[in-house]
Amino acid sequence: MKKIWLIVLVIPVFLASSVLRTPSPKEKEKKGRLQVYNKVTSGLKVLSFGEDLGEASSCPSPLERGWGEVTGQAFTLQEFLKLYHDYYLASAVDSMPWNGSVEKCNPGTLTQEIYDKAEKRINFFRLVNHLPKITFNPEYHKQPQAAAMMMLANNNLSHTPPKTWKCYSDDAAAGASKSCLSLNWNSYSKEKSIVTGFMNDIGESNYFCGHRRWLLYSKATEVGYGATPKTEAIFVAYDYTKPTLTTPAFIAYPWDGFVPYTLVFSKWSFSLPEGLDVDFSKVVVSIKDNLGKQMPFKLYPQKKGYLDPTITWQMLNLFTKDEEDYAENNLDKKGFIGKEITVKVSNVLVNKKPKSYQYVVKIIK
């Protein structure tokens, strides 16, 4: 089996009050520079944009129950299975119908079916966390579509592409600077193809799960989408000024409740909605299996000032290195089906007061 090569980037966030904006070139120069690493981590070639890290080289029933108000309460199995069927399985993609052309530098367009499926896929991951659904704004599709075509033409990714790149255009450059980008999304299975790779966030440089956090951002309301048979771009950097109707008590991945084993990845995350005064500096995380035994994990440094306040960690014994390299998931063969993993996040200061959160990940097939 060949290794799956996926290149993912995450754009930096600059917050002014509660409004997100795209940084100017001068701000980018001050904040950081594009890091291009040749190192292969977990079977992926990873590029990230962020701080200077050193030397770089080149479903009526679940929806009607008021999921935005019953924060922190998991769906029943029946409710979850309906949500999973109607949103996740229904958004699987066999192929990407695209009428563009690299030879003619034509960004092309996607079918409405693809837009609908990509929107459903993002909303599945939001709804299981009791987050409001996002909608696709057609006005936001043009730039990420141009960026996806340019990335395909150059078989590479960059948030700051040079004008010497093939099929460079103002729209493509703007889309590149404002979108989460991926290359070789089609290497995943049909069920896990579009969008899901962003939730996985494989690679050491993605330790803070930036792509996942963009898609699960509590203030997200509208996004744009572009894709080719090999590349994917989700336009996210617009002004988040529209109020969201509801926010959950917390946002977790994997989430509270029933989780198909194929959607359990090695990086786990826990977030609190933006707007709260959150201090994770003395946080205590406990993770226990169904027998009450502590499970080993590595807590990553917190990346502050980035969307919802979040902590992330790596589960150490769920996957082997080979499974990471080849994007294989054998939790079913390891006896995890039907098991429950209890996560407790304690000693979090929220508005200066200590709080604790507990949820249970119930792994199903």
Side-chain angles (χ1 to χ4, degrees):
M1 180 185 295
K2 294 181 179 180
K3 284 188 178 181
I4 292 177
W5 288 81
L6 174 72
I7 310 177
V8 288
L9 295 86
V10 62
I11 62 179
V13 180
F14 297 82
L15 295 174
S17 299
S18 296
V19 178
L20 294 181
R21 58 188 173 83
T22 304
S24 68
K26 288 186 178 180
E27 289 172 324
K28 287 181 179 179
E29 185 176 355
K30 290 180 180 180
K31 183 68 178 179
R33 59 189 176 84
L34 183 67
Q35 304 291 327
V36 186
Y37 293 91
N38 284 333
K39 180 179 179 181
V40 176
T41 306
S42 298
L44 307 180
K45 182 180 178 186
V46 179
L47 296 87
S48 66
F49 186 92
E51 298 175 0
D52 192 345
L53 302 177
E55 258 335 283
S57 62
S58 174
C59 172
S61 63
L63 302 184
E64 288 173 357
R65 66 183 287 206
W67 44 265
E69 300 173 0
V70 290
T71 54
Q73 179 176 322
F75 293 116
T76 66
L77 179 58
Q78 183 179 4
E79 289 173 332
F80 172 76
L81 290 178
K82 180 168 176 57
L83 190 64
Y84 181 60
H85 178 273
D86 291 352
Y87 279 78
Y88 191 81
L89 295 181
S91 59
V93 171
D94 283 313
S95 62
M96 183 66 68
W98 176 59
N99 60 8
S101 168
V102 168
E103 291 73 19
K104 297 180 180 180
C105 291
N106 175 15
T109 57
L110 303 174
T111 63
Q112 187 59 46
E113 180 185 13
I114 291 297
Y115 288 129
D116 291 344
K117 286 189 172 185
E119 185 182 65
K120 271 189 175 182
R121 180 64 57 96
I122 295 173
N123 280 327
F124 166 78
F125 290 114
R126 293 182 63 82
L127 289 174
V128 291
N129 263 295
H130 310 293
L131 286 163
K133 292 192 290 186
I134 56 90
T135 57
F136 274 14
N137 186 335
E139 294 181 4
Y140 295 150
H141 293 334
K142 183 180 178 182
Q143 290 182 350
Q145 186 59 48
M149 183 274 297
M150 181 173 64
M151 303 303 155
L152 178 65
N154 293 274
N155 196 36
N156 203 349
L157 299 179
S158 173
H159 288 301
T160 56
K163 292 184 177 181
T164 55
W165 265 27
K166 298 176 184 177
C167 300
Y168 181 94
S169 69
D170 289 343
D171 278 340
S177 69
K178 301 175 184 178
S179 303
C180 293
L181 307 169
S182 71
L183 179 64
N184 290 352
W185 66 265
N186 56 340
S187 296
Y188 282 102
S189 64
K190 170 186 173 182
E191 291 77 12
K192 295 176 66 176
S193 55
I194 60 170
V195 176
T196 303
F198 290 118
M199 301 301 296
N200 194 342
D201 253 335
I202 287 180
E204 291 179 358
S205 63
N206 290 317
Y207 71 91
F208 56 97
C209 298
H211 304 91
R212 179 189 299 170
R213 289 164 69 177
W214 270 112
L215 299 186
L216 297 183
Y217 184 34
S218 61
K219 293 189 176 182
T221 55
E222 296 177 327
V223 300
Y225 185 77
T228 72
K230 192 177 179 180
T231 58
E232 198 175 14
I234 302 179
F235 183 95
V236 292
Y238 64 91
D239 289 345
Y240 287 79
T241 55
K242 293 184 179 181
T244 52
L245 297 177
T246 55
T247 53
F250 61 86
I251 304 158
Y253 197 97
W255 53 89
D256 181 21
F258 298 100
V259 182
Y261 80 95
T262 55
L263 295 180
V264 176
F265 307 124
S266 62
K267 287 193 188 72
W268 292 29
S269 56
F270 176 88
S271 307
L272 293 177
E274 188 183 66
L276 300 171
D277 179 11
V278 179
D279 182 357
F280 282 120
S281 62
K282 296 182 180 179
V283 68
V284 177
V285 179
S286 171
I287 305 175
K288 296 182 179 181
D289 63 17
N290 58 301
L291 298 178
K293 183 180 179 181
Q294 290 283 351
M295 300 182 69
F297 65 94
K298 173 185 176 182
L299 186 66
Y300 287 116
Q302 184 188 4
K303 191 174 183 68
K304 298 181 180 179
Y306 191 94
L307 303 173
D308 296 318
T310 300
I311 55 172
T312 59
W313 61 88
Q314 180 97 12
M315 298 297 291
L316 298 179
N317 289 347
L318 291 184
F319 305 99
T320 66
K321 185 178 182 304
D322 282 345
E323 288 171 334
E324 289 275 3
D325 286 347
Y326 294 98
E328 294 179 352
N329 186 320
N330 294 306
L331 293 181
D332 56 335
K333 300 175 183 177
K334 298 177 182 179
F336 278 93
I337 304 302
K339 303 299 184 183
E340 297 185 355
I341 298 176
T342 301
V343 179
K344 186 172 184 179
V345 181
S346 307
N347 207 30
V348 184
L349 291 181
V350 181
N351 297 331
K352 310 299 183 183
K353 297 180 180 180
K355 279 197 170 185
S356 296
Y357 303 83
Q358 182 168 302
Y359 57 99
V360 180
V361 177
K362 302 176 181 179
I363 301 177
I364 62 175
K365 191 163 186 175

